[in-house]
Amino acid sequence: MRIPRIMISASSSGSGKTLVTCGLLKTLITRKMKTASFKCGPDYIDPMFHSRIIGAKSKNLDTFFTDDNITKYLLCESAREADISVIEGVMGYYDGMEASSANGSSYALAKLTRTPVILVVDCKGMSLSVVAEIEGFVNFFEDSGIKGVILNRMPKSLYNEMKQIIEDRTGVKVMGYLPSVPELIIESRHLGLVTPDEIDGLDEKLGKLAAIMEEALDIDGIIAMAADAPVIEYEDVRIPHVSGEPVIAVARDEAFCFYYEDNLKLLQKMGAKIIYFSPMRDKKVPDEADALMLGGGYPEVHAKILSENSSMLDSIKAATDGGLPCMAECGGFMYLHEAMEDMEGNVHKMAGVIKGKAYKTSKLGRFGYIKLTALENQFLGNKGDAIKGHEFHYFDSTNCGTSFLAEKPNGKKRWECIHGSTNMAAGFPHLYYYSNINVPYNFLEKVAEQKERQ
């Protein structure tokens, strides 16, 4: 399949790839191009910004979560109707799951999908050293895939001279530059960027950024580079289907906003109906719900509002005690506790489904990719069933669960986690369903069976 596509990567985190990606997406949309977007790796927040800009759901692509064919399938499935697709890289271009390997990196994804790469380089405080940095990245691997560079925080007065030197020395096309634009930088918090809805005047900022990029970047050249991307070959993925159209009520508001769109879409492909509700504002679980899904997010930031919505807390407790199936990840898991601390350490009453307290720590806990293996039979599957995921949280629990064994990719660290039962799977790990589609299918099948019995 021919998919016009480009990857925006960078020499390191903080080099400006999210800023460039968002500005490029806004520019393409302004040009009336039908645009698809993707994020390399497990990040939730960058795709929210992409989605806000393009008006469609951005997706994740991750070579740890999925095998080669599924990764290419997910790219092509979402990009087949688009005029152009933009993939935002993760961390530095070659940075992967381990310090000694590029596995799981932006480079690994670009190589697998044969996607041309534009490297964003932060030029603040450098002139000729920028050339050395670019040359190093281009030549680090013979098949680097780097076809162009964008010079971020480059003074206009230096640009033309540096462009000539870079192209003469490296053979890589310079696609333009961005001056320093501190007023357009997106703010961060403890888990990464703030979410799009929290930024005043975001659309205006993006409009200004797009206008700058139209002047400073070779947008036509970027589009042409994407159009020259090679054909992608893959095989379709067979998706099992459940009967009865079980209704999954998904918590979605400012407190619960971390969901992989391909996870939700996969549930729909399997025959589920997705509806949304707000634990912050709604008074009870939706009447038509056959199961609950409580994703990650920032419940610790909104703990007071969640705690004061006592009717929803009571409704969640009564529903799950009554056997309503429930999947909860990270923030959703914290919400199910008897109590949860907020960012200031104040303790708030929560749903009381999980005994114990979720509390704040001083650092990221159990950060990174994991493989999860069931230690007992429960409603996601049987003992020995495995699925991949990741953890990323500054909070912990007095009661993390013991139904699954989590193991780091290098096998050097293991721990028990997740509360699994006949109707619940709740824990800190975020699951990626396409890493083992039998796991979400087991969930839906049990939900459908329970719905039919009722």
Side-chain angles (χ1 to χ4, degrees), residues 371-391:
K371 177 184 176 182
L372 294 151
T373 304
L375 296 175
E376 58 190 9
N377 296 341
Q378 33 68 48
F379 94 129
L380 292 186
N382 298 320
K383 182 178 179 179
D385 288 347
I387 190 169
K388 293 178 180 179
H390 75 102
E391 290 197 29

Side-chain angles (χ1 to χ4, degrees), residues 335 350 421:
Y335 176 70
M350 290 291 136
S421 68

Side-chain angles (χ1 to χ4, degrees), residues 298-319:
Y298 294 111
E300 64 274 21
V301 175
H302 305 283
K304 186 173 186 294
I305 295 173
L306 290 169
S307 182
E308 290 175 348
N309 191 357
S310 57
S311 65
M312 176 58 78
L313 294 174
D314 293 343
S315 179
I316 294 276
K317 179 71 161 61

Side-chain angles (χ1 to χ4, degrees), residues 194-260:
V194 297
T195 58
D197 291 339
E198 297 175 273
I199 300 177
D200 292 334
L202 177 60
D203 293 334
E204 181 182 357
K205 285 185 176 183
L206 291 170
K208 290 180 180 179
L209 181 59
I212 292 171
M213 293 181 75
E214 277 284 10
E215 291 292 325
L217 298 188
D218 180 6
I219 301 298
D220 291 335
I222 293 172
I223 293 171
M225 187 178 290
D228 285 340
V231 168
I232 299 179
E233 296 181 356
Y234 69 97
E235 296 180 2
D236 281 331
V237 177
R238 191 185 73 83
I239 307 297
H241 195 273
V242 299
S243 60
E245 195 179 32
V247 176
I248 313 301
V250 177
R252 201 159 207 171
D253 54 24
E254 298 93 321
F256 305 100
C257 51
F258 291 175
Y259 295 97
Y260 292 124

Side-chain angles (χ1 to χ4, degrees), residues 91-312:
M91 299 187 294
Y93 182 50
Y94 294 112
D95 298 328
M97 295 181 290
E98 300 177 80
S100 59
S101 170
N103 292 336
S105 66
S106 303
Y107 161 76
L109 179 63
K111 181 179 178 181
L112 172 65
T113 59
R114 304 174 72 194
T115 298
V117 177
I118 296 176
L119 189 74
V120 177
V121 180
D122 186 356
C123 301
K124 184 179 181 181
M126 291 195 292
S127 55
L128 191 61
S129 295
V130 172
V131 186
E133 182 172 331
I134 294 169
E135 191 171 32
F137 270 85
V138 171
N139 296 325
F140 187 70
F141 285 141
E142 186 177 350
D143 58 349
S144 71
I146 298 171
K147 304 298 182 184
V149 294
I150 291 173
L151 307 178
N152 188 31
R153 298 205 289 183
M154 166 64 69
K156 185 176 181 179
S157 59
L158 275 178
Y159 173 67
N160 288 328
E161 182 180 2
M162 294 307 304
K163 178 179 186 296
Q164 189 66 52
I165 296 171
I166 291 166
E167 291 183 341
D168 289 346
R169 180 68 182 250
T170 69
V172 170
K173 179 74 172 174
V174 178
M175 309 306 294
Y177 75 101
L178 275 181
S180 181
V181 285
E183 71 278 9
L184 301 181
I185 298 298
I186 300 169
E187 300 174 46
S188 298
R189 64 151 62 97
H190 60 292
L191 293 183
L193 299 176
V194 297
T195 58
D197 291 339
E198 297 175 273
I199 300 177
D200 292 334
L202 177 60
D203 293 334
E204 181 182 357
K205 285 185 176 183
L206 291 170
K208 290 180 180 179
L209 181 59
I212 292 171
M213 293 181 75
E214 277 284 10
E215 291 292 325
L217 298 188
D218 180 6
I219 301 298
D220 291 335
I222 293 172
I223 293 171
M225 187 178 290
D228 285 340
V231 168
I232 299 179
E233 296 181 356
Y234 69 97
E235 296 180 2
D236 281 331
V237 177
R238 191 185 73 83
I239 307 297
H241 195 273
V242 299
S243 60
E245 195 179 32
V247 176
I248 313 301
V250 177
R252 201 159 207 171
D253 54 24
E254 298 93 321
F256 305 100
C257 51
F258 291 175
Y259 295 97
Y260 292 124
E261 289 302 323
D262 276 320
N263 278 1
L264 299 178
K265 189 174 181 181
L266 180 59
L267 295 179
Q268 291 173 314
K269 287 180 179 179
M270 289 178 169
K273 178 182 178 182
I274 303 292
I275 62 172
Y276 296 102
F277 73 104
S278 170
M280 290 176 63
R281 299 179 183 87
D282 295 335
K283 296 304 179 186
K284 63 187 180 84
V285 171
D287 292 335
E288 63 267 46
D290 298 311
L292 293 176
M293 183 170 289
L294 303 168
Y298 294 111
E300 64 274 21
V301 175
H302 305 283
K304 186 173 186 294
I305 295 173
L306 290 169
S307 182
E308 290 175 348
N309 191 357
S310 57
S311 65
M312 176 58 78

